DNA sequence: TTTAGTCATTAACCAAAGTTAATGAACCTT
DNA sequence: AAGGTTCATTAACTTTGGTTAATGACTAAA
């Protein structure tokens, strides 16, 4: 078994027959990216599910004016991919970029889908992955509706802890939904109090 | 079969053995609510999944200052419930209120969970429900990050069409994340142009 | 070591949105 | 018919955030 950490994670969600795991594992492809490399860009049609072995990524899209809007940061152990585009079977609208040298394993949508009809454990895993994605987005909606910028920033800092040093502040601003100038203002005001 | 529309919906997602459907249907309880009635309030611990036969609901929570923040409106044929609280198995943080006389069918979390181990079709249905919930939230995140208030309002109007007349404007403002005063201002400015 | 690029900060100005309050319309209820 | 409630609108004022631009720190590349 090449990736026992992933097996353990899945097995925590649902009892996973070894035969199923090995079939899945045989489809995994390992890839390394340097800082700044793209795992995926808008328009790409070959969609893959990735599991980050180590590293840090940002997911974003661009609007009509070319401005970037960061949806999410992902770190070691987390899933990564153009998830909603995979569900809808459309080309990627998302850019996924490595923020430091990173390593991950990938399985293509095409290789994964047959597992659903192979054994019900994959349905369960697919369900739990979808549920976790939903919970993350609902949490984010809550923060947008209820918290002001400083509260959102503090939550982000608590969440990312030591990784803060690897994330430029203007990218955090984008994630929080404001401009870098506005975030800098808010932070300097909060320091003075 | 009492609720063929629901059976058809499920069957569109996954082949559903009649035996499974009938077992599920036998757990459904019908309920009618008058305008203003609550299906669920914050703090409630008996969580149920509902399917709206007819009517209109709003889902919201309140912040520390008692202000309401509307998460969602739901109409005939849609699922309703404190979904994230069900996943997390915690008391409801959500209020669910009927905006007009409404009728729905309900199944308790407790009654539904055993179906997951009964037959894999329920895993598939659970997965697809989670995926749809995720897609809706991701769409909402996109709108918050990329669209201005007027664009968000117009999307909402296009989506709800004839139901607009049943939704007070200040509730739409809450759903869009702004105050009723701000929405009124934006709309009057857009009318003048 | 110079040079260019990225980034955070600050200022000045403008636009958008929150707050409070007053007004009037529509709709109940009695 | 009278009274109360809910709601949308508008005004005046304040606060927050966007935009542009200048500055200086830091870093990476040549």
């Amino acid at each position: 078994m090449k990736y026992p950490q992933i097996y353990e994670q899945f097995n925590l969600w649902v009892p996973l027959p070894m035969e199923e795991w090995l079939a899945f594992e045989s489809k995994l492809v390992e890839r390394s990216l340097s800082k700044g490399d793209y795992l995926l860009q808008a328009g790409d049609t070959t969609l893959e599910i990735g599991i980050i072995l180590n590293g840090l990524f940002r997911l974003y899209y661009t609007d009509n004016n070319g401005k970037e809007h960061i949806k999410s940061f992902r770190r070691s152990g987390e899933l990564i991919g153009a998830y909603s585009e995979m569900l809808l079977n459309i080309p990627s609208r998302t850019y996924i970029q490595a923020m430091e040298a990173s390593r991950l394993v990938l399985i293509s949508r095409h290789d994964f889908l047959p597992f659903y009809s192979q054994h019900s454990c994959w349905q369960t895993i697919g369900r739990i992955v979808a549920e976790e994605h939903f919970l993350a987005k609902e949490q984010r909606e809550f923060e947008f509706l209820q918290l002001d910028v400083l509260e959102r920033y503090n939550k982000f800092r608590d969440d990312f802890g030591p990784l803060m040093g690897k994330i430029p502040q203007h990218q955090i601003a984008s994630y929080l939904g404001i401009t870098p100038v506005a975030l800098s203002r808010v932070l300097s005001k909060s320091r003075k109090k």
Side-chain angles (χ1 to χ4, degrees), chain A residues 47-134:
Chain A
L47 302 186
E48 296 164 300
I49 306 157
I51 302 167
I52 303 173
L53 299 174
N54 56 67
L56 183 62
F57 290 83
R58 68 184 180 118
L59 288 74
Y60 67 91
Y61 36 57
T62 57
D63 62 24
N64 311 325
N65 309 319
K67 206 187 291 180
E68 299 179 357
H69 298 272
I70 296 183
K71 287 197 296 186
S72 179
F73 298 96
R74 301 284 167 84
R75 41 200 153 166
S76 303
E78 295 186 328
L79 284 181
I80 198 166
Y83 187 58
S84 61
E85 293 93 328
M86 278 193 26
L87 296 180
L88 297 168
N89 197 22
I90 59 175
S92 179
R93 302 167 293 197
T94 307
Y95 295 83
I96 302 182
Q97 186 182 33
M99 299 174 65
E100 60 179 28
S102 302
R103 219 161 43 86
L104 38 63
V105 289
L106 296 164
I107 180 171
S108 71
R109 178 178 189 274
H110 175 265
D111 279 348
F112 178 69
L113 283 182
F115 283 96
Y116 277 146
S117 38
Q118 200 77 15
H119 191 285
S120 80
C121 68
W122 300 109
Q123 291 287 346
T124 308
I125 288 171
R127 172 171 68 80
I128 293 175
V129 165
E131 287 172 356
E132 305 253 315
H133 274 78
F134 169 77

Side-chain angles (χ1 to χ4, degrees), chain A residues 130-173:
Chain A
E131 287 172 356
E132 305 253 315
H133 274 78
F134 169 77
L135 287 170
K137 287 299 175 201
E138 170 129 315
Q139 182 60 34
R140 190 154 152 75
E141 175 189 58
F142 172 88
E143 290 167 15
F144 269 111
L145 287 180
Q146 296 222 4
L147 305 183
D148 63 31
V149 170
L150 184 58
E151 290 171 320
R152 296 216 294 282
Y153 178 85
N154 287 334
K155 270 206 128 195
F156 185 88
R157 182 171 36 67
D158 294 348
D159 186 10
F160 279 83
L163 290 178
M164 285 297 279
K166 295 178 173 173
I167 308 176
Q169 188 171 299
H170 69 277
Q171 291 187 8
I172 299 176

